[in-house]
Amino acid sequence: MSFYSAMAQYYDTIFPFREAVGRFLEQRLPPSGRILDLGCGTGEYCAHLQTPQRSCLGVDLDPAMIAEAGRRHPAVEFRPLALEQVASLPAGAFAGAFCIGNVLAHLPGAGLPAFLQALHGRLGPGAPWIVQIVNFHPLDGCGQHDFPPREFPDQGLTFQRRYTRGENGEYLFKTRLLRRGQTVFTGVTPLHFHLTEPLVELHHRAGFVLVEQAGDFAGAPFDPATSPGNILVFQRRETVS
């Protein structure tokens, strides 16, 4: 069983729906048309965005996440799909897309050009594309980084996270969930650091222009030294470099 499959039933406890994220997406995605959520998890943001005028397709690599999303939100469409399979979706079918929760860090840098070219072809003219990853700038070159544990006293849960440098330059995202001191699950997932400048350049080559960058979902200016997150809002242009 994968880390995310094991985590599916606890996901919304550890990473609950955040109103600030919902508002950020609502303000930057079009009010009508089809929206693509890449790495939808349990589908909370898809369900939040769904209206009679705006539909949402949520895709995720993990089948347990998709099953949980479909159980929670039967009116929304979800399907299992990896980022590398975006080209299998209909061309020009989406009025906007987003990928939050550091999902893009699961894709190696070598895979980004093909992914971005495929995504460009799935979006309509001028469509927004929103990406949120961890601010990797302060972590670049560190051998290890420990996050403060997340405590959930009502359920007796503690969630621990650590980044450890791997042998091939990637970082290993090591997690552990405890319930009253007993391990519920552990996970090790490789992550790939994406820094702003090369990420923006790859987007430019694929036909996207950067229109906004923020350090959090409240819209604070991005500071590579101190911002917790790196949120980039692109717009699809017609010409590709």
mmCIF file of all heavy atoms in Angstrom, residues 198-226:
data_model
loop_
_atom_site.group_PDB
_atom_site.id
_atom_site.type_symbol
_atom_site.label_atom_id
_atom_site.label_comp_id
_atom_site.label_asym_id
_atom_site.label_seq_id
_atom_site.Cartn_x
_atom_site.Cartn_y
_atom_site.Cartn_z
ATOM 1 N N PRO A 198 14.253 28.464 -12.677
ATOM 2 C CA PRO A 198 14.127 27.414 -13.697
ATOM 3 C C PRO A 198 12.686 26.987 -13.943
ATOM 4 O O PRO A 198 12.323 26.642 -15.074
ATOM 5 C CB PRO A 198 14.970 26.263 -13.139
ATOM 6 C CG PRO A 198 15.156 26.562 -11.695
ATOM 7 C CD PRO A 198 15.109 28.032 -11.558
ATOM 8 N N LEU A 199 11.847 27.034 -12.903
ATOM 9 C CA LEU A 199 10.446 26.645 -13.084
ATOM 10 C C LEU A 199 9.727 27.630 -13.994
ATOM 11 O O LEU A 199 8.965 27.235 -14.896
ATOM 12 C CB LEU A 199 9.758 26.558 -11.725
ATOM 13 C CG LEU A 199 8.327 26.014 -11.705
ATOM 14 C CD1 LEU A 199 8.267 24.615 -12.295
ATOM 15 C CD2 LEU A 199 7.783 26.014 -10.283
ATOM 16 N N VAL A 200 9.958 28.920 -13.791
ATOM 17 C CA VAL A 200 9.333 29.941 -14.636
ATOM 18 C C VAL A 200 9.843 29.835 -16.071
ATOM 19 O O VAL A 200 9.080 29.972 -17.039
ATOM 20 C CB VAL A 200 9.573 31.342 -14.057
ATOM 21 C CG1 VAL A 200 9.122 32.425 -15.042
ATOM 22 C CG2 VAL A 200 8.827 31.505 -12.737
ATOM 23 N N GLU A 201 11.139 29.575 -16.228
ATOM 24 C CA GLU A 201 11.710 29.463 -17.566
ATOM 25 C C GLU A 201 11.098 28.276 -18.326
ATOM 26 O O GLU A 201 10.773 28.386 -19.521
ATOM 27 C CB GLU A 201 13.225 29.314 -17.484
ATOM 28 C CG GLU A 201 13.923 29.089 -18.819
ATOM 29 C CD GLU A 201 13.711 30.221 -19.820
ATOM 30 O OE1 GLU A 201 13.426 31.362 -19.403
ATOM 31 O OE2 GLU A 201 13.813 29.943 -21.035
ATOM 32 N N LEU A 202 10.923 27.148 -17.652
ATOM 33 C CA LEU A 202 10.295 25.989 -18.296
ATOM 34 C C LEU A 202 8.860 26.307 -18.701
ATOM 35 O O LEU A 202 8.402 25.893 -19.777
ATOM 36 C CB LEU A 202 10.328 24.779 -17.360
ATOM 37 C CG LEU A 202 11.679 24.099 -17.168
ATOM 38 C CD1 LEU A 202 11.596 23.053 -16.063
ATOM 39 C CD2 LEU A 202 12.143 23.451 -18.469
ATOM 40 N N HIS A 203 8.142 27.036 -17.867
ATOM 41 C CA HIS A 203 6.784 27.454 -18.211
ATOM 42 C C HIS A 203 6.786 28.379 -19.433
ATOM 43 O O HIS A 203 5.935 28.247 -20.324
ATOM 44 C CB HIS A 203 6.127 28.155 -17.026
ATOM 45 C CG HIS A 203 5.482 27.233 -16.045
ATOM 46 N ND1 HIS A 203 6.182 26.565 -15.067
ATOM 47 C CD2 HIS A 203 4.173 26.852 -15.894
ATOM 48 C CE1 HIS A 203 5.340 25.827 -14.365
ATOM 49 N NE2 HIS A 203 4.127 25.981 -14.834
ATOM 50 N N HIS A 204 7.732 29.294 -19.462
ATOM 51 C CA HIS A 204 7.812 30.229 -20.595
ATOM 52 C C HIS A 204 8.012 29.460 -21.901
ATOM 53 O O HIS A 204 7.353 29.741 -22.911
ATOM 54 C CB HIS A 204 8.956 31.210 -20.360
ATOM 55 C CG HIS A 204 9.154 32.178 -21.491
ATOM 56 N ND1 HIS A 204 8.373 33.305 -21.671
ATOM 57 C CD2 HIS A 204 10.031 32.173 -22.529
ATOM 58 C CE1 HIS A 204 8.763 33.950 -22.744
ATOM 59 N NE2 HIS A 204 9.774 33.284 -23.289
ATOM 60 N N ARG A 205 8.897 28.497 -21.888
ATOM 61 C CA ARG A 205 9.162 27.706 -23.093
ATOM 62 C C ARG A 205 7.941 26.904 -23.524
ATOM 63 O O ARG A 205 7.763 26.628 -24.720
ATOM 64 C CB ARG A 205 10.337 26.764 -22.847
ATOM 65 C CG ARG A 205 11.670 27.457 -22.648
ATOM 66 C CD ARG A 205 12.756 26.444 -22.350
ATOM 67 N NE ARG A 205 14.019 27.089 -22.014
ATOM 68 C CZ ARG A 205 15.096 26.434 -21.616
ATOM 69 N NH1 ARG A 205 15.068 25.103 -21.501
ATOM 70 N NH2 ARG A 205 16.209 27.084 -21.329
ATOM 71 N N ALA A 206 7.112 26.518 -22.556
ATOM 72 C CA ALA A 206 5.927 25.707 -22.861
ATOM 73 C C ALA A 206 4.718 26.550 -23.254
ATOM 74 O O ALA A 206 3.663 25.992 -23.573
ATOM 75 C CB ALA A 206 5.583 24.831 -21.663
ATOM 76 N N GLY A 207 4.846 27.883 -23.199
ATOM 77 C CA GLY A 207 3.740 28.728 -23.632
ATOM 78 C C GLY A 207 2.934 29.341 -22.515
ATOM 79 O O GLY A 207 1.744 29.631 -22.697
ATOM 80 N N PHE A 208 3.567 29.556 -21.348
ATOM 81 C CA PHE A 208 2.891 30.191 -20.219
ATOM 82 C C PHE A 208 3.635 31.461 -19.830
ATOM 83 O O PHE A 208 4.875 31.518 -19.920
ATOM 84 C CB PHE A 208 2.836 29.256 -19.008
ATOM 85 C CG PHE A 208 1.995 28.033 -19.192
ATOM 86 C CD1 PHE A 208 2.556 26.845 -19.659
ATOM 87 C CD2 PHE A 208 0.640 28.060 -18.909
ATOM 88 C CE1 PHE A 208 1.780 25.706 -19.832
ATOM 89 C CE2 PHE A 208 -0.152 26.923 -19.079
ATOM 90 C CZ PHE A 208 0.425 25.749 -19.538
ATOM 91 N N VAL A 209 2.905 32.445 -19.353
ATOM 92 C CA VAL A 209 3.511 33.673 -18.849
ATOM 93 C C VAL A 209 3.134 33.823 -17.376
ATOM 94 O O VAL A 209 1.982 33.577 -16.985
ATOM 95 C CB VAL A 209 3.064 34.907 -19.658
ATOM 96 C CG1 VAL A 209 1.549 35.087 -19.628
ATOM 97 C CG2 VAL A 209 3.762 36.166 -19.153
ATOM 98 N N LEU A 210 4.096 34.187 -16.541
ATOM 99 C CA LEU A 210 3.855 34.380 -15.113
ATOM 100 C C LEU A 210 3.153 35.716 -14.899
ATOM 101 O O LEU A 210 3.643 36.758 -15.320
ATOM 102 C CB LEU A 210 5.178 34.356 -14.339
ATOM 103 C CG LEU A 210 5.082 34.542 -12.821
ATOM 104 C CD1 LEU A 210 4.374 33.361 -12.179
ATOM 105 C CD2 LEU A 210 6.479 34.710 -12.217
ATOM 106 N N VAL A 211 2.006 35.688 -14.221
ATOM 107 C CA VAL A 211 1.250 36.918 -13.970
ATOM 108 C C VAL A 211 1.213 37.292 -12.492
ATOM 109 O O VAL A 211 0.879 38.422 -12.144
ATOM 110 C CB VAL A 211 -0.190 36.824 -14.525
ATOM 111 C CG1 VAL A 211 -0.171 36.690 -16.039
ATOM 112 C CG2 VAL A 211 -0.956 35.672 -13.895
ATOM 113 N N GLU A 212 1.568 36.350 -11.603
ATOM 114 C CA GLU A 212 1.529 36.640 -10.174
ATOM 115 C C GLU A 212 2.356 35.602 -9.422
ATOM 116 O O GLU A 212 2.399 34.437 -9.807
ATOM 117 C CB GLU A 212 0.083 36.596 -9.661
ATOM 118 C CG GLU A 212 -0.093 36.943 -8.201
ATOM 119 C CD GLU A 212 -1.539 36.825 -7.735
ATOM 120 O OE1 GLU A 212 -2.419 36.543 -8.566
ATOM 121 O OE2 GLU A 212 -1.778 36.995 -6.519
ATOM 122 N N GLN A 213 3.014 36.073 -8.352
ATOM 123 C CA GLN A 213 3.711 35.165 -7.453
ATOM 124 C C GLN A 213 3.443 35.613 -6.024
ATOM 125 O O GLN A 213 3.511 36.804 -5.714
ATOM 126 C CB GLN A 213 5.221 35.157 -7.713
ATOM 127 C CG GLN A 213 5.981 34.139 -6.874
ATOM 128 C CD GLN A 213 7.458 34.063 -7.235
ATOM 129 O OE1 GLN A 213 8.002 34.961 -7.871
ATOM 130 N NE2 GLN A 213 8.112 32.980 -6.837
ATOM 131 N N ALA A 214 3.117 34.666 -5.151
ATOM 132 C CA ALA A 214 2.805 34.983 -3.762
ATOM 133 C C ALA A 214 3.508 33.990 -2.847
ATOM 134 O O ALA A 214 3.850 32.873 -3.244
ATOM 135 C CB ALA A 214 1.297 34.937 -3.517
ATOM 136 N N GLY A 215 3.696 34.418 -1.591
ATOM 137 C CA GLY A 215 4.349 33.571 -0.608
ATOM 138 C C GLY A 215 3.389 32.756 0.228
ATOM 139 O O GLY A 215 3.805 31.832 0.933
ATOM 140 N N ASP A 216 2.089 33.098 0.160
ATOM 141 C CA ASP A 216 1.060 32.320 0.839
ATOM 142 C C ASP A 216 -0.284 32.614 0.191
ATOM 143 O O ASP A 216 -0.394 33.473 -0.695
ATOM 144 C CB ASP A 216 1.030 32.600 2.349
ATOM 145 C CG ASP A 216 0.745 34.053 2.682
ATOM 146 O OD1 ASP A 216 0.034 34.741 1.917
ATOM 147 O OD2 ASP A 216 1.234 34.529 3.727
ATOM 148 N N PHE A 217 -1.324 31.916 0.635
ATOM 149 C CA PHE A 217 -2.632 32.068 0.003
ATOM 150 C C PHE A 217 -3.377 33.317 0.468
ATOM 151 O O PHE A 217 -4.447 33.613 -0.054
ATOM 152 C CB PHE A 217 -3.477 30.818 0.224
ATOM 153 C CG PHE A 217 -3.078 29.678 -0.670
ATOM 154 C CD1 PHE A 217 -2.425 28.559 -0.154
ATOM 155 C CD2 PHE A 217 -3.342 29.717 -2.025
ATOM 156 C CE1 PHE A 217 -2.060 27.510 -0.981
ATOM 157 C CE2 PHE A 217 -2.975 28.674 -2.868
ATOM 158 C CZ PHE A 217 -2.334 27.565 -2.341
ATOM 159 N N ALA A 218 -2.786 34.067 1.398
ATOM 160 C CA ALA A 218 -3.329 35.381 1.733
ATOM 161 C C ALA A 218 -2.834 36.433 0.752
ATOM 162 O O ALA A 218 -3.272 37.583 0.810
ATOM 163 C CB ALA A 218 -2.951 35.766 3.157
ATOM 164 N N GLY A 219 -1.921 36.048 -0.134
ATOM 165 C CA GLY A 219 -1.415 36.964 -1.157
ATOM 166 C C GLY A 219 -0.191 37.743 -0.742
ATOM 167 O O GLY A 219 0.171 38.726 -1.401
ATOM 168 N N ALA A 220 0.500 37.335 0.328
ATOM 169 C CA ALA A 220 1.705 38.035 0.757
ATOM 170 C C ALA A 220 2.768 37.952 -0.339
ATOM 171 O O ALA A 220 2.876 36.936 -1.029
ATOM 172 C CB ALA A 220 2.234 37.424 2.049
ATOM 173 N N PRO A 221 3.571 39.011 -0.506
ATOM 174 C CA PRO A 221 4.644 38.961 -1.507
ATOM 175 C C PRO A 221 5.588 37.790 -1.257
ATOM 176 O O PRO A 221 5.861 37.439 -0.099
ATOM 177 C CB PRO A 221 5.360 40.306 -1.326
ATOM 178 C CG PRO A 221 4.353 41.201 -0.680
ATOM 179 C CD PRO A 221 3.516 40.302 0.193
ATOM 180 N N PHE A 222 6.086 37.202 -2.322
ATOM 181 C CA PHE A 222 6.997 36.072 -2.195
ATOM 182 C C PHE A 222 8.386 36.550 -1.807
ATOM 183 O O PHE A 222 8.952 37.438 -2.443
ATOM 184 C CB PHE A 222 7.066 35.288 -3.508
ATOM 185 C CG PHE A 222 8.071 34.158 -3.471
ATOM 186 C CD1 PHE A 222 7.801 33.008 -2.755
ATOM 187 C CD2 PHE A 222 9.276 34.256 -4.143
ATOM 188 C CE1 PHE A 222 8.723 31.966 -2.700
ATOM 189 C CE2 PHE A 222 10.197 33.222 -4.110
ATOM 190 C CZ PHE A 222 9.924 32.079 -3.381
ATOM 191 N N ASP A 223 8.937 35.975 -0.747
ATOM 192 C CA ASP A 223 10.307 36.230 -0.317
ATOM 193 C C ASP A 223 11.037 34.897 -0.311
ATOM 194 O O ASP A 223 10.690 34.008 0.477
ATOM 195 C CB ASP A 223 10.323 36.845 1.084
ATOM 196 C CG ASP A 223 11.728 37.194 1.564
ATOM 197 O OD1 ASP A 223 12.699 36.586 1.081
ATOM 198 O OD2 ASP A 223 11.853 38.078 2.429
ATOM 199 N N PRO A 224 12.019 34.701 -1.186
ATOM 200 C CA PRO A 224 12.669 33.393 -1.266
ATOM 201 C C PRO A 224 13.343 32.964 0.026
ATOM 202 O O PRO A 224 13.567 31.771 0.249
ATOM 203 C CB PRO A 224 13.699 33.561 -2.395
ATOM 204 C CG PRO A 224 13.859 35.024 -2.571
ATOM 205 C CD PRO A 224 12.561 35.648 -2.168
ATOM 206 N N ALA A 225 13.653 33.919 0.909
ATOM 207 C CA ALA A 225 14.337 33.584 2.160
ATOM 208 C C ALA A 225 13.374 33.175 3.266
ATOM 209 O O ALA A 225 13.743 32.386 4.140
ATOM 210 C CB ALA A 225 15.194 34.763 2.622
ATOM 211 N N THR A 226 12.133 33.697 3.239
ATOM 212 C CA THR A 226 11.262 33.512 4.402
ATOM 213 C C THR A 226 9.867 32.978 4.102
ATOM 214 O O THR A 226 9.188 32.493 5.020
ATOM 215 C CB THR A 226 11.095 34.846 5.154
ATOM 216 O OG1 THR A 226 10.467 35.810 4.280
ATOM 217 C CG2 THR A 226 12.446 35.388 5.609
#
